[in-house]
Amino acid sequence: MFHPRRTLRALLPPLVAGLALTALPAPAATAASTLTNGGFEDGGSGAATPNGWSEYGDTGASFSEPGGRSGGHRLSHWSSSAYKVETYQYLSGLANGNYRLTAWVRSGGGQNAAHLALKNCGGAEQRTDLPVSAGGWIRIVVPVRVTNNQCTVSVTSDANAGNWINVDDLTLAPGTSGLSVKGADISSLLKSEARGGVYRTASGTAGDPVAILRSAGMNYARLKVWVNPADGYNDKARVLAMAKRVKARGMKLLVDFHYSDSWADPGKQTKPAAWAGHGYGQLKKDVYDHTYDVLSALKAQGTTADMVQIGNEINGGMLWNEGSTDNWPQLAGLLNSGYDAAKAVSPSTVAALHLAEGGDLDGTRWWFDNAVSHGVRFDAIGLSYYGYWHGTLHDFQTTLDDAAARYRKPVFVAETAYPFRLDSEDAHENIIDRAEELVPGYPASTAGQTRWMNDVASIVEAVPDGRGLGVFSWEATWTARTGNGWDPADPSSGNGWENQALFGYDDRALPATAWFRHR
């Protein structure tokens, strides 16, 4: 469907707020009801204005060139001097309803802003920032509700000299997107408070950190449970107490079973001391009884778990050695024992399996292929993804998308985080404390931390077929407090994570809490 002409009123909406522009762009001859030249192939190499598109601002910085994700060409924004430019396309004659813009993007980073937007669609403008990815292409989405039969698709850069983006293969189709899980692991909170931890709003008012995070938009809390921890924290009783606070604020609850007395991760899956001498048959019963005990107690007090993890970062299995991946039939039996216990308490509780190494496609496939072939039952897949350890954002998206499609299960990020500074508040060395450890394009600053959380969320949001559930920020409340360190058996141990929490060294909620308001 074509519109014979564009009025000034139709031209004005594509203006980008803040751009100092002296002239309106040349009007497009027609406006289509479908996106034209979304792959930037029409017009070929070096087109100053790609066919079907209009440009605005420093138009010399917007052009098509060779090197498409598919096909021969892509849209690029670049200039040797600072620039502000918008490449846009006005669509009219749209049927009202929900739409989703999908695009493949790359960016060298460093811009003041670089985003895709859908605007003038009848409601609030919707934007998605371009993640920093100088190598592999990343798919992002922007949803919008059209209520006035028209919409403008926009690619915008507010950039410094030499900054660049590539965009290709844009499509606009009916659909929606968003995240149902915008969560944080707050397992350290009770012990922090007991050791004098204070939490403040961004403006400095002391308050309940659960309420502060909830008011920022957090809707899901993750709590780990250990069997008999040395310090008594993260045991059944403490999880029950925290669950009451979480549910009282209207949030959902994920219970993360480690099946250990202390940290379980790919490097260690130590049996609880009480189970140390048990063989496989008894361990199956231990897993069932412990899982059922914790979850039934939560249900009895009116705080039923909405999701559970049967194990934590179990790349190598759990309850070593009986539950090692060297013995898949036994590992499968242990995992199914936990699954069965969770479902016996609450059939609606989502039972997830959780691996680390969120950018490891081959390793994730190997693990879940084995799980499926051995009859392991699960409802969802959780991955830890830390960009300084687990591969690029492109690797992460590739792995996440593959897991969702290959196993036809919803996927989520069980853990991610990023530093807002590198120095330590306590005497303990931080896990990430050197610039060379950082992800390129994401500085150790409040802005870098905020961008990281939002960009990870955008990648989960873009998982096809609506299978991206959401993200948990790991240990958002683990601020530096004497006595609340890494080792539950050592009261003097320090915290190597306070520079990745969502509360700063002044105890105030950080700007990155804004990620909870991701769609």
Side-chain angles (χ1 to χ4, degrees):
M1 187 176 203
F2 291 94
H3 196 285
R5 63 185 178 278
R6 296 181 63 191
T7 64
L8 181 61
R9 180 176 177 81
L11 260 176
L12 286 174
L15 287 172
V16 179
L19 293 192
L21 304 174
T22 58
L24 293 174
T30 58
S33 59
T34 56
L35 196 63
T36 300
N37 195 22
F40 303 98
E41 299 303 318
D42 187 7
S45 181
T49 304
N51 290 346
W53 294 85
S54 299
E55 295 173 344
Y56 202 73
D58 298 316
T59 57
S62 171
F63 48 90
S64 63
E65 64 177 349
R69 186 194 76 92
S70 64
H73 301 91
R74 66 195 184 203
L75 173 70
S76 292
H77 286 179
W78 176 86
S79 177
S80 59
S81 57
Y83 63 94
K84 297 179 182 180
V85 70
E86 178 184 24
T87 309
Y88 69 93
Q89 188 170 148
Y90 165 71
L91 302 176
S92 66
L94 293 170
N96 288 334
N98 294 316
Y99 289 83
R100 182 175 60 239
L101 177 70
T102 302
W104 291 85
V105 302
R106 299 191 303 189
S107 171
Q111 301 90 347
N112 300 313
H115 60 259
L116 299 183
L118 293 173
K119 53 190 182 176
N120 314 310
C121 309
E125 176 180 338
Q126 297 294 319
R127 292 182 176 181
T128 301
D129 291 333
L130 271 64
V132 180
S133 177
W137 292 87
I138 291 176
R139 185 185 58 255
I140 59 175
V141 297
V142 189
V144 78
R145 182 162 182 80
V146 173
T147 60
N148 61 355
N149 303 112
Q150 64 181 23
C151 199
T152 299
V153 178
S154 169
V155 183
T156 297
S157 295
D158 177 354
N160 301 298
N163 293 161
W164 62 270
I165 66 169
N166 301 147
V167 180
D168 203 4
D169 296 337
L170 290 99
T171 58
L172 182 71
T176 60
S177 69
L179 301 178
S180 59
V181 175
K182 289 167 277 194
D185 191 305
I186 53 174
S187 298
S188 62
L189 179 56
L190 274 182
K191 191 173 181 181
S192 174
E193 291 175 327
R195 300 296 186 272
V198 175
Y199 297 87
R200 302 182 184 277
T201 65
S203 61
T205 303
D208 176 1
V210 180
I212 292 170
L213 292 171
R214 177 60 174 151
S215 67
M218 177 174 149
N219 67 5
Y220 227 116
R222 179 178 186 257
L223 300 174
K224 68 173 173 277
V225 59
W226 290 336
V227 178
N228 290 305
D231 60 1
Y233 285 90
N234 301 299
D235 65 353
K236 172 186 167 183
R238 283 344 204 289
V239 168
L240 288 169
M242 276 301 304
K244 287 183 178 179
R245 291 174 61 180
V246 166
K247 292 281 188 168
R249 295 291 175 182
M251 289 191 278
K252 291 187 175 183
L253 174 64
L254 165 59
V255 178
D256 172 18
F257 285 92
H258 283 230
Y259 301 112
S260 182
D261 291 336
S262 187
W263 303 101
D265 55 47
K268 53 186 177 298
Q269 295 283 335
T270 306
K271 287 197 287 277
W275 307 356
H278 295 178
Y280 168 63
Q282 181 61 42
L283 287 172
K284 276 180 64 177
K285 185 175 187 303
D286 293 336
V287 168
Y288 188 97
D289 290 348
H290 171 61
T291 306
Y292 188 91
D293 180 46
V294 173
L295 295 180
S296 61
L298 284 165
K299 181 180 180 180
Q301 70 172 15
T303 60
T304 300
D306 300 281
M307 193 186 309
V308 299
Q309 284 178 212
I310 307 301
N312 187 78
E313 295 190 332
I314 52 176
N315 300 59
M318 66 184 195
L319 293 166
W320 288 347
N321 289 316
E322 286 79 359
S324 163
T325 50
D326 291 337
N327 190 337
W328 264 103
Q330 289 192 178
L331 174 57
L334 294 170
L335 293 171
N336 281 337
S337 190
Y339 179 93
D340 290 344
K343 295 297 184 177
V345 174
S346 170
S348 64
T349 295
V350 174
L353 297 176
H354 171 210
L355 300 187
E357 306 289 343
D360 180 5
L361 174 65
D362 291 341
T364 302
R365 276 187 175 182
W366 175 85
W367 199 97
F368 277 100
D369 281 359
N370 270 290
V372 170
S373 70
H374 286 91
V376 176
R377 296 185 290 279
F378 61 99
D379 304 323
I381 293 171
L383 298 176
S384 293
Y385 175 62
Y386 297 103
Y388 34 76
W389 295 325
H390 295 160
T392 66
L393 287 169
H394 173 78
D395 296 334
F396 164 55
Q397 180 168 72
T398 301
T399 305
L400 196 68
D401 288 356
D402 183 78
R406 189 176 182 89
Y407 309 107
R408 304 188 65 79
K409 300 289 186 182
V411 294
F412 65 98
V413 175
E415 299 179 18
T416 192
Y418 205 77
F420 60 91
R421 58 196 292 172
L422 292 174
D423 61 314
S424 181
E425 188 180 6
D426 62 10
H428 191 80
E429 180 181 4
N430 287 335
I431 297 295
I432 302 298
D433 64 353
R434 299 193 309 275
E436 56 267 29
E437 295 173 308
L438 299 173
V439 179
Y442 296 88
S445 64
T446 57
Q449 183 188 45
T450 303
R451 173 172 285 184
W452 178 262
M453 291 305 304
N454 272 313
D455 290 351
V456 169
S458 292
I459 288 172
V460 179
E461 182 187 19
V463 172
D465 300 317
R467 291 198 175 109
L469 290 180
V471 178
F472 289 91
S473 168
W474 193 69
E475 283 289 11
T477 54
W478 202 3
T479 54
R481 298 300 306 176
T482 301
N484 190 19
W486 280 94
D487 186 354
D490 179 6
S492 68
S493 63
N495 177 5
W497 203 259
E498 75 272 16
N499 67 326
Q500 300 194 61
L502 293 182
F503 290 84
Y505 292 4
D506 59 0
D507 301 324
R508 297 184 182 208
L510 289 164
T513 56
W515 93 262
F516 291 122
R517 294 188 288 278
H518 196 95
R519 287 180 297 268

